[in-house]
Amino acid sequence: MNWKRIGILAWFDLYHSILKLKGLVFLIPFCLFWYWTLKFLLENGGKLSSGYKGIAFLSMLYKPEIAQVLLVLHPPTLSMFFIITLATVPFFAMLSGNDQLASDTGGQTFRFLLTRCTRGEIFVSRFISNYLMFAIPVIIAALVATAISLHVDQRSVMETIDYTLHITILILVYMLPFVGFMSAISALMSSGLGALLMSATFYTLLLMAGGFINYKFGAGIFLVP
């Protein structure tokens, strides 16, 4: 593989996807969702997440020890941001990655690129482009959440920044398999909408199969990308 060509293809696709349909399908819902979520955290995050109701709610979802670690031992607003982000990564990964390759495959436009580069380079460049289009808004949202945490949480600046770096790295790593999952689905389909529906169906089947395994065998196995 020629990484110079991969870089050129990735930058070209990222630059030309932002204001096109496949970019707007992701960016508009993402911005609207995080605008209202961050606004809610600014107005209620400090008292809701650190209070009894927040700890009780997280204790139902996780173990009480985990709720204590997230909301008491760390800045609670950032912990709420962390939990919400992890929960919404699959949904936004489907919106951002459904048209990595699908529409170009259906339109047979790859034949113009294959005279200058390989299929593997196209696949990797589209993966990188899609990952960056997903990761950059997440990082911006994390920076805004950090500013909110510094305003509403009574924690030191260094503690807040250190925790922000920690959870942001975890989120970015967690995003990788979902972007790869969408790359595989998009490569098999010939339209972005078909890839979106296929990914949602397949991911739902994975969740159901994982729940069945846990119920039937108590093995603690979760089938996710």
Side-chain angles (χ1 to χ4, degrees):
M1 286 189 181
N2 188 314
W3 287 100
K4 182 179 179 180
R5 286 201 296 262
I6 290 175
I8 293 172
L9 289 171
W11 168 250
F12 179 85
D13 184 67
L14 177 64
Y15 180 77
H16 288 277
S17 295
I18 294 175
L19 296 179
K20 288 189 176 181
L21 181 61
K22 71 175 183 178
L24 296 177
V25 165
F26 160 69
L27 289 173
I28 292 176
F30 184 91
C31 292
L32 289 175
F33 174 82
W34 279 111
Y35 170 78
W36 291 109
T37 301
L38 293 171
K39 182 180 179 182
F40 175 81
L41 291 178
L42 176 62
E43 296 173 350
N44 305 286
K47 56 184 179 182
L48 178 63
S49 56
S50 61
Y52 173 77
K53 291 183 179 179
I55 296 176
F57 175 72
L58 282 186
S59 297
M60 292 188 295
L61 297 177
Y62 309 103
K63 296 179 180 179
E65 296 81 7
I66 297 178
Q68 181 180 10
V69 169
L70 290 174
L71 297 182
V72 178
L73 302 182
H74 293 294
T77 300
L78 286 175
S79 292
M80 294 296 293
F81 168 81
F82 181 49
I83 294 168
I84 295 170
T85 303
L86 293 182
T88 56
V89 159
F91 172 73
F92 286 120
M94 293 176 193
L95 289 181
S96 67
N98 64 83
D99 202 12
Q100 285 186 48
L101 301 158
S103 62
D104 288 315
T105 302
Q108 299 182 356
T109 55
F110 282 136
R111 66 182 184 273
F112 300 112
L113 292 176
L114 288 173
T115 60
R116 296 295 183 92
C117 55
T118 65
R119 289 177 173 85
E121 290 169 351
I122 294 173
F123 186 87
V124 173
S125 66
R126 291 296 177 87
F127 173 86
I128 294 173
S129 170
N130 180 246
Y131 181 77
L132 291 176
M133 187 170 67
F134 192 5
I136 292 173
V138 169
I139 293 173
I140 294 173
L143 293 175
V144 177
T146 303
I148 294 173
S149 178
L150 290 171
H151 178 69
V152 301
D153 298 329
Q154 298 179 351
R155 304 299 174 94
S156 67
V157 175
M158 289 307 300
E159 179 186 2
T160 302
I161 294 176
D162 181 69
Y163 189 52
T164 299
L165 291 174
H166 182 69
I167 64 174
T168 302
I169 291 172
L170 289 177
I171 292 169
L172 294 177
V173 172
Y174 182 69
M175 287 164 45
L176 281 169
F178 288 95
V179 177
F181 169 74
M182 291 307 302
S183 296
I185 296 294
S186 183
L188 296 174
M189 307 302 292
S190 59
S191 71
L193 180 60
L196 180 61
L197 295 175
M198 178 61 70
S199 62
T201 301
F202 191 61
Y203 183 67
T204 301
L205 291 175
L206 285 177
L207 293 179
M208 293 173 61
F212 176 77
I213 292 174
N214 283 317
Y215 173 76
K216 193 72 175 179
F217 304 104
I221 297 174
F222 296 90
L223 299 179
V224 294

